[in-house]
Amino acid sequence: MRRSEEGDQPEIVEIDFTVGHRSIGRDVVTSQGYTHDWVCYLKSTDVHGDLNALIQRCIFHLHPEFQNNKREIRTSPFAIQETGYGGFSMPIDIYFKTKKDPKKFRIEYDLDLHDLTNGGLKKRSYLRTYRCTFTNPDPDFKQKILAAGG
């Protein structure tokens, strides 16, 4: 959290989210051609952060080829698990428990599944950090941000 020394400066409160995924190559390709099992998740960068205090819901927007490609998660763990054959760009919308903007934060996440040909790795994990900034949050929401690891 950053706070100005002067009273007329805006108060800035920030929180970092970690978004990651793990994928593993399947030993047997499914009849649909799926080569990987994967899980994608969102968590607080602070290991003690409670995202349930801050996040109302999280929506993972999967590739249109997926059945039920808009997955809404309302409590932690904010994660989805699937089987597929290729990577894609996956927008993730985070809706906060506040009445003041920003009420939503969008992450553009690259779900990159590794290539199993030519001796590719069988398992792979990725982590990326995203920062969300709030200017002059109301006191109640500020406490939620801090409880979540802000």
Side-chain angles (χ1 to χ4, degrees), residues 62-67 69:
L62 280 66
H63 190 276
E65 289 184 13
F66 282 91
Q67 196 170 33
N69 65 344

Side-chain angles (χ1 to χ4, degrees), residues 71-129:
R71 308 282 174 86
E72 183 174 318
I73 311 296
R74 292 193 169 263
T75 59
S76 67
F78 295 98
I80 58 169
Q81 188 171 349
E82 263 300 341
T83 300
Y85 62 85
F88 56 94
S89 177
M90 179 171 42
I92 302 169
D93 291 330
I94 303 168
Y95 290 86
F96 298 108
K97 294 180 179 180
T98 183
K99 293 180 173 95
K100 187 177 176 184
D101 286 332
K103 296 176 188 170
K104 179 175 104 171
F105 181 65
R106 175 166 271 197
I107 292 171
E108 295 289 340
Y109 187 74
D110 181 22
L111 184 79
D112 180 25
L113 302 181
H114 55 279
D115 183 4
L116 295 174
T117 60
N118 299 320
L121 296 174
K122 187 75 170 162
K123 296 180 184 180
R124 184 166 282 173
S125 296
Y126 292 94
L127 292 175
R128 293 177 182 90
T129 301

Side-chain angles (χ1 to χ4, degrees), residues 22-79:
R22 293 182 306 276
S23 65
I24 183 168
R26 299 177 60 86
D27 291 330
V28 177
V29 176
T30 69
S31 60
Q32 298 91 352
Y34 299 155
T35 57
H36 293 76
D37 293 323
W38 56 265
V39 62
C40 182
Y41 55 89
L42 169 102
K43 63 182 184 176
S44 175
T45 302
D46 179 342
V47 296
H48 302 292
D50 178 14
L51 289 184
N52 285 320
L54 179 67
I55 295 177
Q56 177 187 59
R57 62 191 165 127
C58 185
I59 299 177
F60 294 82
H61 298 272
L62 280 66
H63 190 276
E65 289 184 13
F66 282 91
Q67 196 170 33
N68 183 24
N69 65 344
K70 185 177 167 182
R71 308 282 174 86
E72 183 174 318
I73 311 296
R74 292 193 169 263
T75 59
S76 67
F78 295 98

